[in-house]
Amino acid sequence: MRTVVAITGASGSTFGVELLRRLPGETFAVLSRWGQHVVREETGLGREQVAEIATRLFYDSDLSAPLASGSNPWDAMVVLPCTTSTIGKIASGIADSLVTRAAAVTLKEGRRLVVCPRETPLSAVTLRQMADLARDGVTVMPVSPGWYAGPATLQDLVDDFVGRVLQVLGIEVPGGWRAEELNGAARPLPEERVPE
Ligand SMILES: Cc1cc2nc3c(=O)[nH]c(=O)nc-3n(C[C@H](O)[C@H](O)[C@H](O)COP(=O)(O)O)c2cc1C
């Protein structure tokens, strides 16, 4: 599997770094200029250290990189975290950086595109753009970890959300919420669970 991972300049860059660590196969990473800044602020990692956990790291300014062309095959692209600026550009077909060009290529080639916005509150502009992307077949997954697995640490929350992204990409992740109830033979109907 070959996956493009773009880290843009939204808070939560640790999620993108963790995705790079856990993705199987080849990973092609691109950090936007502000993505690089936020990665350093929030994780302490520099460009060189991110390069060590990806198969290849490309410059966002390099529109002659292989990711700028649909003739180079990759299976999926994830933008994690995704700024509202990058959402707007992808939704309107602007491809003036390697992140936005690779996203445009992923879309035009009918490959899987997952964007993980991180912003709050959201303006009507961004909500409209996210709806447009969803209608165009993009998976829009706001960075929103679940609490139902009983996280004890911040890393648990990061792992939970990154696990959901991996599942969306078709990668098996053990231990879904109450997954054991789907396994094994048919059982008698349990009592209905209603909150008190
Ligand atoms: C420390 C920091 C945190 C930021 N957090 C966010 C954020 O959570 N969401 C967002 O949409 N923009 C955020 N921004 C603003 C973007 O970085 C800015 O709009 C930038 O132009 C986005 O460019 P890019 O999409 O190419 O990375 C942040 C900027 C800084 C410096």
Side-chain angles (χ1 to χ4, degrees):
M1 177 166 185
R2 304 175 115 197
T3 313
V4 178
V5 176
I7 300 179
T8 61
S11 190
S13 52
T14 187
F15 288 92
V17 171
E18 188 62 28
L19 180 67
L20 277 173
R21 289 203 176 103
R22 283 179 63 184
L23 263 172
E26 292 172 279
T27 53
F28 304 135
V30 191
L31 307 184
S32 74
R33 185 173 169 195
W34 285 101
Q36 190 172 318
H37 174 89
V38 180
V39 166
R40 188 172 294 114
E41 291 246 317
E42 295 187 351
T43 71
L45 298 177
R47 216 187 140 71
E48 295 69 25
Q49 288 151 306
V50 176
E52 281 168 19
I53 52 176
T55 309
R56 296 278 311 273
L57 176 68
F58 297 97
Y59 286 100
D60 194 29
S61 56
D62 184 7
L63 282 162
S64 67
L67 300 181
S69 169
S71 60
N72 294 317
W74 59 85
D75 302 290
M77 174 170 178
V78 182
V79 189
L80 174 59
C82 188
T83 63
T84 52
S85 171
T86 292
I87 291 277
K89 287 185 179 184
I90 299 172
S92 50
I94 296 172
D96 62 350
S97 62
L98 192 58
V99 170
T100 52
R101 171 64 186 163
V105 169
T106 303
L107 268 179
K108 84 180 172 75
E109 299 294 332
R111 300 173 193 161
R112 173 140 238 167
L113 178 60
V114 179
V115 297
C116 305
R118 207 311 314 174
E119 183 59 287
T120 196
L122 289 164
S123 69
V125 173
T126 301
L127 288 166
R128 206 163 46 233
Q129 289 165 336
M130 295 198 311
D132 284 347
L133 288 175
R135 278 190 285 264
D136 291 340
V138 176
T139 303
V140 180
M141 290 185 73
V143 178
S144 174
W147 258 252
Y148 38 72
T153 65
L154 288 178
Q155 187 61 40
D156 289 343
L157 290 172
V158 174
D159 290 344
D160 175 76
F161 183 75
V162 169
R164 289 295 290 121
V165 175
L166 292 170
Q167 282 180 326
V168 160
L169 295 175
I171 296 157
E172 209 173 309
V173 175
W177 182 63
R178 286 167 58 177
E180 69 287 350
E181 293 177 32
L182 299 179
N183 299 334
R187 275 173 258 166
L189 187 66
E191 271 186 40
E192 187 181 13
R193 274 183 253 234
V194 284
E196 286 169 21

